[in-house]
Amino acid sequence: MPRTVITFGTFDVFHVGHLRVLERAAALGDRLVVGVSADALNERKKGRVPVFSQRERLAIVAALRVVDEVFVEESLELKRDYLVEHAADVLVMGDDWAGKFDDLGDICEVVYLPRTPAISTTAIIEHIAEL
Ligand code: C2G
């Protein structure tokens, strides 16, 4: 049976920190599925409308060599349903979420990966705004 890895994120203004986490997630199994968070979810939970629409963010993530499948993450509370639906063996999250998804350990392995230092969508937006 192939080992399916699943991860989630907004992946707005795609940068090398996003690429690295997806590469490391893919290396933990045979197949990588990515839940790209919906525009409405970002607006609701983060109070910011992404620079790129969910359609554009999905297209970018889907085009990556390490990504096998993408879907829209409509709600943060549906993680368990998404894991079951995609038959995930491993859930990968950035370590800014450390401990938050340990309860899903009953249906899959839960791995938190360290973030790539010194790069973020917010920092990029601020950098560009200052040019
Ligand atoms: N990331 C990273 N290094 C950075 C920036 C981001 O490793 N310097 C990782 C994050 O840890 C995450 C992924 O890139 O695993 C996507 O980051 P975000 O778009 O900020 O998504 P996030 O807010 O973590 O997820 O269910 C989760 C939600 O969809 C939101």
Side-chain angles (χ1 to χ4, degrees):
M1 274 291 275
R3 199 167 130 93
T4 300
V5 182
I6 194 166
T7 192
F8 297 86
T10 306
F11 303 102
D12 191 26
V13 188
F14 197 90
H15 59 66
V16 78
H18 295 144
L19 180 62
R20 296 274 177 266
V21 80
L22 293 175
E23 286 175 337
R24 285 177 291 156
L28 295 176
D30 305 303
R31 208 174 144 258
L32 179 61
V33 179
V34 183
V36 176
S37 57
D39 289 337
L41 165 57
N42 277 274
E43 216 173 327
R44 218 165 53 233
K45 293 280 170 171
K46 297 189 186 173
R48 186 171 81 200
V49 180
V51 174
F52 294 123
S53 70
Q54 72 189 48
R55 204 188 140 116
E56 293 167 322
R57 293 181 289 106
L58 274 158
I60 290 166
V61 175
L64 298 170
R65 194 169 53 213
V66 295
V67 174
D68 297 289
E69 194 183 330
V70 293
F71 66 95
V72 179
E73 179 191 29
E74 304 281 1
S75 162
L76 293 179
E77 285 73 43
L78 290 174
K79 287 248 165 16
R80 184 173 289 273
D81 297 344
Y82 293 135
L83 300 192
V84 171
E85 194 180 318
H86 294 280
D89 299 293
V90 189
L91 167 64
V92 171
M93 296 297 294
D95 63 1
D96 39 329
W97 297 91
K100 297 251 165 56
F101 297 106
D102 290 356
D103 58 307
L104 298 170
D106 59 337
I107 55 165
C108 70
E109 197 181 315
V110 182
V111 177
Y112 303 98
L113 294 177
R115 289 168 64 92
T116 300
I119 184 158
S120 70
T121 297
T122 308
I124 293 168
I125 293 170
E126 282 169 7
H127 180 93
I128 293 169
E130 281 163 18
L131 287 179

